Amino acid sequence: MSFPSTQFATSRRMGIYEPNPQISMWGQSFISDSSPNTGISTIVEADAKLDNRSEGTSDGTLGTPTKFEQEANKPNDKVSRRLAQNREAARKSRLRKKAYVQQLESSRMKLTQLEQELERARQQGVYIGGHLGDSSHLALPGSVSSGVAAFEMEYGHWVEEQNRLTCELRTALQAHVSDFELRILVDSSMSHYDNLFRMKTIAAKSDVFYLMSGMWKTPAERFFLWIGGFRPSELLKVLSPQLDPLTEQQSFDVCNLQQSSQQAEDALSQGMEKLQHTLAETLVSKSLINLGAADYMGQLATAVEKLEALADHLRQQTLHQMYRILTIRQAARGLLALDDYFQRLRALSSLWAARPREPA
């Protein structure tokens, strides 16, 4: 069978000759079956050109990517690191969000529990002596005001939460987490102490004498009690061994803070002594009857409440001043030292209560 030469020319323009084994076989069939005037030389020439193109591709002249393509195909280390950092930041963000949601849920459950306990106390006939904000209220012996009952339950929850935060902070320091993660935990601990001062402010409005007496603390803690709490100067003594090494500027700032705290403590102690002296003189004289017991007790409660508020303000400001002076890791170690101090006082109270006693 023969084909006109014009048919081969048309077929070549249509791209029949591709570097494919099947097409090569077809080409051989065309050569064997064609007549001499079918344009064999044209077909051989086309095959040679295709072979040259194939060799060029294998040598890399046509198939080799350009320099820019090679650069584009190379893995970009900077982009890879950035993507890894973004993934890690997103993971940490999800963990923080989960912890925050859990904290909110825990706070909601504690609030519900507190409301239930208060409702049970009301149903059991607990004496409600006035309301929050009535500083003239003095609870009768054996009675419990609503503010005192609420504070005792809140303080119990506060201690539990403090233990949890301390464990998280200690684990983070041992794991050498980043300063960013550590700062989140330190800020949470500082906010937790601020919450304690807020709770005490509310409780003082209900019964300031109960708060000042320290009945909500363990016996060993009450032994070191100063106007309803710890001395800021004692706080600095506890923290100082845990803060080394300090820079020269840090040492100077801590020294100034200790001196100013001591001066403020002395002033408040003098005010407390003067108040106690005035009360003693009033009780042994007839002026209490002339003044009116209710009015005088209201004035006394207000004066004591102001002293306690000033003492708590001094404690709170000392904590925050230390936080500003120290690095984040020094602050974390200081908070752990402070909590360990209170934990040991509570443990001392437990040992004292469980001590062997001689039979009466």
Side-chain angles (χ1 to χ4, degrees), residues 277-291 296:
H277 181 70
T278 303
L279 177 60
E281 288 183 342
T282 304
L283 290 175
V284 298
S285 66
K286 296 181 180 180
S287 58
L288 181 60
I289 300 175
N290 297 331
L291 290 173
Y296 184 76

Side-chain angles (χ1 to χ4, degrees), residues 36-57:
N37 59 353
T38 55
I40 294 175
S41 60
T42 305
I43 297 174
V44 173
E45 180 182 358
D47 286 339
K49 289 182 179 180
L50 290 173
D51 291 338
N52 291 335
R53 288 181 59 187
S54 178
E55 291 176 0
T57 303

Side-chain angles (χ1 to χ4, degrees), residues 117-292:
E117 291 174 354
L118 285 175
E119 183 62 28
R120 284 196 299 268
R122 293 190 185 97
Q123 292 175 358
Q124 292 171 1
V126 174
Y127 173 75
I128 306 300
H131 57 277
L132 293 178
D134 185 5
S135 60
S136 64
H137 161 65
L138 296 176
L140 297 175
S143 65
V144 180
S145 70
S146 60
V148 167
F151 175 77
E152 286 184 344
M153 285 184 285
E154 284 185 342
Y155 182 68
H157 297 321
W158 186 91
V159 172
E160 293 177 359
E161 182 68 12
Q162 177 70 8
N163 293 336
R164 186 188 67 81
L165 290 173
T166 300
C167 290
E168 289 185 355
L169 194 59
R170 182 175 285 109
T171 302
L173 275 176
Q174 293 173 350
H176 303 288
V177 300
S178 65
D179 287 357
F180 175 77
E181 293 177 281
L182 195 60
R183 186 178 298 278
I184 294 175
L185 296 175
V186 171
D187 288 343
S188 297
S189 296
M190 293 293 294
S191 298
H192 194 57
Y193 275 106
D194 290 339
N195 190 38
L196 174 62
F197 297 130
R198 180 193 60 80
M199 290 161 46
K200 291 179 65 179
T201 299
I202 297 174
K205 295 181 182 300
S206 179
D207 191 345
V208 68
F209 290 105
Y210 161 83
L211 193 66
M212 292 284 287
S213 67
M215 294 303 295
W216 46 285
K217 285 184 170 291
T218 60
E221 288 178 296
R222 288 199 299 270
F223 182 75
F224 295 97
L225 200 66
W226 175 79
I227 313 184
F230 59 85
R231 287 180 177 268
S233 58
E234 291 296 325
L235 163 67
L236 296 176
K237 290 179 184 178
V238 171
L239 297 184
S240 295
Q242 306 296 326
L243 304 179
D244 292 332
L246 292 173
T247 64
E248 184 176 351
Q249 183 63 43
Q250 284 179 323
S251 300
F252 179 76
D253 292 338
V254 170
C255 183
N256 285 341
L257 180 60
Q258 188 168 8
Q259 291 178 358
S260 61
S261 296
Q262 187 66 57
Q263 292 172 358
E265 287 177 23
D266 293 341
L268 289 175
S269 296
Q270 291 175 6
M272 192 67 185
E273 291 173 1
K274 184 177 181 180
L275 182 62
Q276 291 173 341
H277 181 70
T278 303
L279 177 60
E281 288 183 342
T282 304
L283 290 175
V284 298
S285 66
K286 296 181 180 180
S287 58
L288 181 60
I289 300 175
N290 297 331
L291 290 173

Side-chain angles (χ1 to χ4, degrees), residues 275-326:
L275 182 62
Q276 291 173 341
H277 181 70
T278 303
L279 177 60
E281 288 183 342
T282 304
L283 290 175
V284 298
S285 66
K286 296 181 180 180
S287 58
L288 181 60
I289 300 175
N290 297 331
L291 290 173
D295 291 341
Y296 184 76
M297 287 296 103
Q299 295 174 10
L300 177 62
T302 301
V304 176
E305 184 181 335
K306 288 181 178 179
L307 275 173
E308 204 280 333
L310 288 172
D312 270 351
H313 180 72
L314 178 59
R315 283 184 276 264
Q316 187 175 18
Q317 289 302 309
T318 302
L319 275 173
H320 282 273
Q321 286 291 341
M322 287 297 293
Y323 178 57
R324 283 188 282 268
I325 292 172
L326 304 177

